Amino acid sequence: MATGRRGRPQVSSRAQVEVAAFELFLERGYAETSIMDIVAAAGISKTTFFRYFSSKAALVWFPFEESTRDLQRSFGTVDDEVPVMEAIRVGVIDTVAARLDDEGVWTAQIRILDASPELQAEGAQRWLVWSEVVSTFVASRIGTRPAAVVPAAVGGAVQSVVLAVLREGVRSPASPSEVLTTLDKSLASLGYSLQKWIDEQP
């Protein structure tokens, strides 16, 4: 007679695999958790894991990469009449809001990233890519290169604010709505100053 698989029922979504993996990362540490550990905890096959993620690191970074792509797409739909910093504020808030959850997966991700030297090394490069999305949008609006002073500085400043607010939201701790409120106010204040600088550009 056939018998069913023992242990946790097989999961069917990428998000559920992320949750199972994040629980292990927080309990054991990122470096100490293998893909086979994740597969066993999630109740899936190794083939299924690689259908969702190309590597263990890709599992951690997937939500971030998705958010970066969403931000880039949002800038492509902005009306030219919308001030640059207002468009950035709205785009960032919308994409961050889509990743925050009441179950605490986003806080787990921040904790895992900050606790792993291996992931921190990757993080610097990934945040640079994120800030370049902002810089590219600014450059397109003022007619210069993304690496020019103003676009690069705006991208770096916005990225720093977002990361600082998310980390503070974990340390506090704060609910997703509280994090969004703080981020919205912080970006509005930053935008008030930077918009003047942008408007001064020839």
Side-chain angles (χ1 to χ4, degrees):
M1 184 173 71
T3 57
R5 172 179 288 183
R6 294 180 179 179
R8 186 179 296 190
Q10 184 166 352
V11 298
S12 58
S13 75
R14 184 192 307 268
Q16 288 173 292
V17 177
E18 289 174 357
V19 170
F22 286 178
E23 288 177 355
L24 290 176
F25 293 154
L26 290 174
E27 178 184 340
R28 305 179 184 181
Y30 174 80
E32 290 71 26
T33 302
S34 68
I35 289 177
M36 292 310 298
D37 292 331
I38 298 169
V39 164
I44 59 172
S45 68
K46 193 172 180 180
T47 300
T48 300
F49 178 90
F50 284 111
R51 187 181 306 135
Y52 289 143
F53 309 103
S54 61
S55 66
K56 185 173 69 169
L59 185 155
V60 180
W61 287 112
F62 179 81
F64 184 88
E65 292 178 339
E66 204 171 46
S67 183
T68 302
R69 289 192 294 269
D70 288 348
L71 181 63
Q72 189 171 33
R73 282 192 290 267
S74 76
F75 289 152
T77 64
V78 176
D79 190 285
D80 289 342
E81 299 302 314
V82 179
V84 174
M85 293 307 300
E86 175 62 12
I88 291 173
R89 183 190 66 80
V90 172
V92 170
I93 289 296
D94 286 348
T95 54
V96 170
R99 300 292 171 260
L100 298 185
D101 61 288
D102 292 324
E103 287 73 33
V105 176
W106 73 275
T107 61
Q109 185 184 30
I110 295 293
R111 289 191 178 114
I112 291 162
L113 294 174
D114 284 348
S116 170
E118 181 180 346
L119 290 173
Q120 286 175 12
E122 288 188 45
Q125 180 59 38
R126 291 177 187 270
W127 273 110
L128 177 60
V129 172
W130 189 96
S131 68
E132 286 175 347
V133 169
V134 178
S135 299
T136 299
F137 171 66
V138 176
S140 71
R141 292 290 294 268
I142 65 176
T144 187
R145 297 172 295 107
V149 173
V150 174
V154 172
V158 173
Q159 178 257 301
S160 295
V161 167
V162 173
L163 183 56
V165 170
L166 290 177
R167 281 178 167 159
E168 183 59 26
V170 171
R171 286 191 292 262
S172 299
S175 68
S177 61
E178 290 171 331
V179 170
L180 286 175
T181 297
T182 300
L183 181 58
D184 195 20
K185 291 180 179 178
S186 300
L187 290 175
S189 296
L190 179 69
Y192 179 78
S193 299
L194 292 183
Q195 187 63 55
K196 293 181 179 180
W197 190 28
I198 290 170
D199 291 341
E200 291 171 356
Q201 302 309 302

